[in-house]
Every structure is written in structure tokens, then in C-alpha cells.
Amino acid sequence: MTTHEPDYRFTRPGALIAALPAVLGFVPEKSLVLVALEGGEMGAVMRVDLSKTIGDDLSHLAELAAASGGDTVVVVIVDAEGAPCPMCNQDYRDICDDLSTALSAHGMEIYATHVVDRIEAGGRWHCVDGCGAFGAVEDPMASPLAAAAVLEGRRLYPRRSDLQAVVAVADAGRAASLVPAISEHAQAREADWRADPDGCGRRDVEAAMALAARVNAGAELDESELAMLACALTDVDVRDTLYALAVGADAANAEALWAVLSRTLPDPWRTEALVLLAFSAYARGDGPLAGLSLEAALRSDPEHRMADMLDTALQSGLRPEQIRELAGTGYRLAKRLGVRLPPRRTFGRRAV
């Protein structure tokens, strides 16, 4: 996962470490985190499970760091069990040596490496190379990035598993039970579409926007509404129009709907909801949610073109303002369908 926070300056290790939950969206545990530095500022942030770095090829991680545009990286190893153990430092040094070799192939180097037991107020960090530096982790919730995340509507999760639950199927039995209703609605919709393709698409887009507002207000969808939405997302023109909602004034409504559908619909219809959720999250600068949504979508359909394209963009560090340009297609389609979409909203300077 790659996340950018270009407005945060690298100053103190305790402050940098405390900022990681706000950037990643969750508190990392048993993790290797790379923070690319761009002109002394925090750039791309990449995290992998610590278990995957021991004796593993770190060239892909180095490629991601190089693609971020940074020139050096700060390495943070989060390990509650190993951090207090001086003998464990050799394992960390071995990881850093392998990483340094991989980075050097891209003209990058490690600026500093810190080991921390836990990322919370009172956590302790020390350097891995025996420099003697150590200190306390500042309060992550008092981090400027945490405050910015809250103001921008991003939720911070205690664990990665809590974030994963946002896109996980909530009730597999209920999801399976929706298949007959979806199939029945698909047959009825086919007749409507053949009679008037644009009219059918217009009605679906307008219905989706109305239901999104209801969902964001706390309403639950019934079986017929879920079936209608599942079928609507299989219509390319409808789906591509709905991508534009991610940059509109009612983007929060749309994202709430995509999250509900991601947790409720069965495959393969769930995949389209996951990709819409990923695009919405990516567009507003939430790389962690976008990444997990794409991971789930590609597990369901490895050949999904939009999911693959967004995943490639995210992994290569493409910034949200560039991704938002894709919404232009949705506005053009909406005009053809005769749908009035919410006006575009103004984004601040944030990137993932």
C-alpha cells in the first residue's frame, strides 16, 4: 500500500512514528513501514507484514519506494515482542541490509531505521544500527495528520483487521439468498433496457443517488432495492456514470452506499460495488480503504480492468487529483442520459 502526505515535515522520530496511523488508516502492528522523504517531507508510506520481510525478496517494496518520487526512506519496524529485545536487533539489521541493497538499485538509500514496540502514547523507539538514539512515541491522536484526517471525515481504526471489516461480507447467508431476487430483477430490467436503454440507465442512476442519501442517513435497504442496485451496476453506462459521484458534493452518500453493497451483495455483483468504493476512497485520499477494496475485488475477479488499473495506479503512487480526472467520463455519460449529477466539489491538497 502506498500513501502520500506531502504536507507533513519530517522532524522528530517520535512525531513521525505517531503520524503513521493517520496516514495508514489503522495502527500498524508487526509491520515494516517505509516512509519516503521528498525534500525533507513525508512522502509515500508503504507497509508490509513483518513476517513477509524475513528472508524474502524486498525488490518489489524498493520499486514502490522508487516510484513514489522520494530520494531517501525512513524505516520503522513495529514489533511489540522484539523491540525490547537487544538480541533481536540483528534480525532487524538483516532486514535493513537486504532493503538497503534493493533500494540502492534504484538510487535510493535509508536515512534512518527505528524500532518501536507500539504506536501509542508512551511507546518506545530506538535506532536499529546502534547509534544510541531512543525516545518516546508522541500521542498519535494529537498528531496534526490525525486531526486533519478527522476533519476530512476519515476514520482511524485500531487494527488493520478493523479496516478490513469495512469491506468484508457481513452475512454470507443473506448474500447468497439475494441471488434469486437479483436474477429475477435482471430479467425484468433486460426488457426495460431493450425498450429504452437511456431511460433505463437514467432511472437507475437517479434511484442509486436517492438510495445513497437514505443509506447515509441510516436507512437499511430491502431485498428489492439491493437487487435493483446489483443489476444497475452491471450496466456499463450506469456504472461509469456513478463513478462521477466520487468527486461530487454528495460523495459521502455514494461512498456509504458502496460500502453497504460491498458488505451485502454476493459475487459477482459485489465486485462492482468494491471497485466503486475503491475509486471513491482513492479520490478523496483514503489509500488504505482503496487498497483493501481493490484487494477484495481482484480476489473475486482477477481480470477486472478498472480494479486492475486502480490497483496499479495506487501501487505506483499516482495521486488522487490524477485519478479524479476519470470522473469526467461519468459527467459526460450523465449528460447523455439526461441525469443531473451533484456539482463537483473542491478538494484540498491531499494525496494517497
Side-chain angles (χ1 to χ4, degrees):
M1 171 178 31
T2 306
T3 300
H4 285 81
E5 288 292 348
D7 295 326
Y8 189 84
R9 286 203 166 272
F10 170 70
T11 52
R12 306 175 306 280
L16 178 72
I17 294 170
L20 296 180
V23 179
L24 294 172
F26 58 90
V27 180
E29 300 173 325
K30 282 284 186 179
S31 300
L32 173 69
V33 183
L34 265 62
V35 180
L37 302 182
E38 301 178 36
E41 294 183 351
M42 178 185 286
V45 177
M46 294 139 280
R47 188 213 72 92
V48 295
D49 292 339
L50 189 58
S51 61
K52 295 180 180 179
T53 65
I54 300 174
D56 201 1
D57 183 3
L58 299 178
S59 58
H60 180 61
L61 191 60
E63 289 173 5
L64 291 178
S68 72
D71 42 27
T72 59
V73 300
V74 172
V75 179
V76 178
I77 296 173
V78 188
D79 189 358
E81 297 176 2
C85 168
M87 297 298 293
C88 297
N89 267 0
Q90 187 56 52
D91 293 334
Y92 304 144
R93 291 192 189 101
D94 291 341
I95 292 172
C96 291
D97 287 343
D98 292 343
L99 183 59
S100 180
T101 300
L103 288 168
S104 66
H106 300 278
M108 299 184 72
E109 60 182 15
I110 296 176
Y111 179 85
T113 304
H114 310 300
V115 180
V116 60
D117 56 357
R118 63 192 192 282
I119 302 184
E120 61 182 53
R124 303 294 299 178
W125 65 268
H126 66 267
C127 66
V128 76
D129 57 7
C131 70
F134 63 92
V137 177
E138 297 183 15
D139 184 358
M141 294 309 298
S143 164
L145 291 185
V150 171
L151 287 174
E152 293 165 349
R154 287 179 55 193
R155 182 178 173 185
L156 305 184
Y157 295 86
R159 296 176 181 82
R160 189 169 187 264
S161 59
D162 297 317
L163 178 56
Q164 290 173 316
V166 174
V167 300
V169 175
D171 186 338
R174 187 192 183 203
S177 72
L178 290 172
V179 173
I182 295 172
S183 300
E184 181 179 347
H185 187 88
Q187 293 178 4
R189 187 185 187 279
E190 177 69 14
D192 290 342
W193 184 86
R194 288 185 180 280
D196 182 5
D198 286 354
C200 182
R202 180 173 60 254
R203 288 189 292 274
D204 281 347
V205 172
E206 290 174 345
M209 291 191 294
L211 291 173
R214 283 182 49 208
V215 166
N216 201 33
E220 294 188 7
L221 301 178
D222 61 30
E223 183 180 88
S224 63
E225 291 166 334
L226 290 167
M228 183 278 293
L229 289 165
C231 293
L233 298 188
T234 64
D235 184 316
V236 174
D237 286 348
V238 171
R239 184 180 66 231
D240 288 353
T241 301
L242 292 173
Y243 278 114
L245 297 180
V247 301
D250 295 334
N253 292 348
E255 187 166 324
L257 178 60
W258 310 146
V260 166
L261 295 181
S262 296
R263 295 192 298 269
T264 307
L265 294 180
D267 288 330
W269 300 278
R270 173 175 177 258
T271 302
E272 300 302 343
L274 283 165
V275 182
L276 281 161
L277 176 61
F279 183 76
S280 182
Y282 198 159
R284 68 175 172 80
D286 193 339
L289 180 55
L292 287 175
S293 301
L294 292 170
E295 182 182 307
L298 289 169
R299 274 200 308 269
S300 174
D301 182 4
E303 304 301 321
H304 196 288
R305 293 180 61 184
M306 185 64 163
D308 182 64
M309 184 196 71
L310 290 175
D311 187 60
T312 299
L314 188 66
Q315 294 294 336
S316 62
L318 195 69
R319 299 179 185 275
E321 53 265 31
Q322 296 168 287
I323 286 297
R324 291 175 202 139
E325 295 175 3
L326 297 175
T329 298
Y331 278 95
R332 289 191 291 273
L333 283 170
K335 185 175 181 180
R336 195 199 80 195
L337 294 175
V339 177
R340 185 183 181 89
L341 295 181
R344 288 176 180 262
R345 61 190 175 117
T346 302
F347 289 85
R349 189 188 174 196
R350 320 173 25 192
V352 176

